[in-house]
Amino acid sequence: MSNPVFERIQSTIDANDVVVFMKGTQSFPQCGFSATVAKILGHLGVDFQDVNVLADPEIRNGIKEFTNWPTIPQLYVKGEFVGGCDIIREMFETGELRAFLEEKGVKLEQAA
Amino acid sequence: MPMNAADIEHLIKAALPGAEVTITDLAGDGDHYAAHVTSTAFAGKTRVAQHKLVFDALGGRMGGELHALALTTAVPK
């Protein structure tokens, strides 16, 4: 029995290099953790598709099951779950996030 | 019902014997903590896998009863 919500999630992460399932949108994040991830990606000049889970309750719960990760935001790069806010912030602070994105061939707007 | 720091520490240590756990109460409301966990169980694991071990230790409270836990993990040097 296929899961329509999982299929929606899968097609979103297949269709976009970088996806953030977040509370709110990148221009109007509605949660500190989601805002942090959006700000970090903005700082690195990374275009990403935001999915506002507050506007889509099915996705809000479905993504937690899909990823087997209990919190929002969730960052996907090239279909792979990278982490939530803590992991993204830690990777950013150590420079790992930039290296990871470059290795995955994600375009970073301007070099810092 | 928010959790207290001691409960969080106890749950993590019960699931990860020998782990070092430092809990910081960020807001004093029993709902916003930072936890740093050092454990040999993390060796060779990705950060996502390390964090999942801690989430499992918290028995599904993460994201629910425990709204926000800023988590960092490390392997003992």
Side-chain angles (χ1 to χ4, degrees):
Chain A
M1 204 277 296
S2 73
N3 180 325
V5 178
F6 280 18
E7 279 164 17
R8 270 206 292 148
I9 292 169
Q10 190 64 57
S11 61
T12 305
I13 60 176
D14 290 345
N16 300 280
D17 280 354
V18 184
V19 182
V20 181
F21 296 86
M22 63 186 290
K23 291 180 181 173
T25 61
Q26 52 190 301
S27 21
F28 297 105
Q30 291 171 268
C31 148
F33 300 110
S34 293
T36 298
V37 172
K39 211 174 350 170
I40 287 171
L41 293 176
H43 177 82
L44 291 173
V46 174
D47 277 337
F48 66 93
Q49 175 61 55
D50 51 3
V51 176
N52 181 4
V53 302
L54 297 178
D56 193 332
E58 264 190 352
I59 294 287
R60 180 173 187 172
N61 292 315
I63 190 62
K64 292 176 185 175
E65 277 170 43
F66 183 87
T67 313
N68 182 26
W69 186 265
T71 58
I72 302 285
Q74 294 187 20
L75 172 66
Y76 272 80
V77 172
K78 300 271 176 124
E80 181 191 335
F81 175 61
V82 182
C85 179
D86 297 333
I87 288 177
I88 300 311
R89 183 173 32 211
E90 197 172 348
M91 288 176 72
F92 174 65
E93 283 160 3
T94 59
E96 275 177 72
L97 185 57
R98 173 186 294 283
F100 175 82
L101 291 167
E102 283 167 351
E103 178 207 311
K104 291 284 179 182
V106 171
K107 204 161 66 63
L108 306 180
E109 223 83 82
Q110 83 298 356
Chain B
M1 214 283 292
M3 297 182 70
N4 67 51
D7 292 342
I8 297 171
E9 184 172 342
H10 173 71
L11 284 170
I12 295 172
K13 284 186 169 177
L16 299 171
E20 276 172 48
V21 182
T22 314
I23 310 269
T24 315
D25 189 337
L26 299 175
D29 59 2
D31 207 9
H32 294 78
Y33 291 104
H36 183 70
V37 184
T38 305
S39 168
T40 50
F42 297 151
K45 289 192 170 57
T46 64
R47 275 201 188 86
V48 167
Q50 293 177 19
H51 283 225
K52 280 185 175 175
L53 280 179
V54 178
F55 292 159
D56 292 343
L58 294 171
R61 291 179 179 80
M62 191 57 200
E65 196 179 326
L66 198 51
H67 167 67
L69 176 70
L71 179 61
T72 50
T73 53
V75 182
K77 295 221 175 14

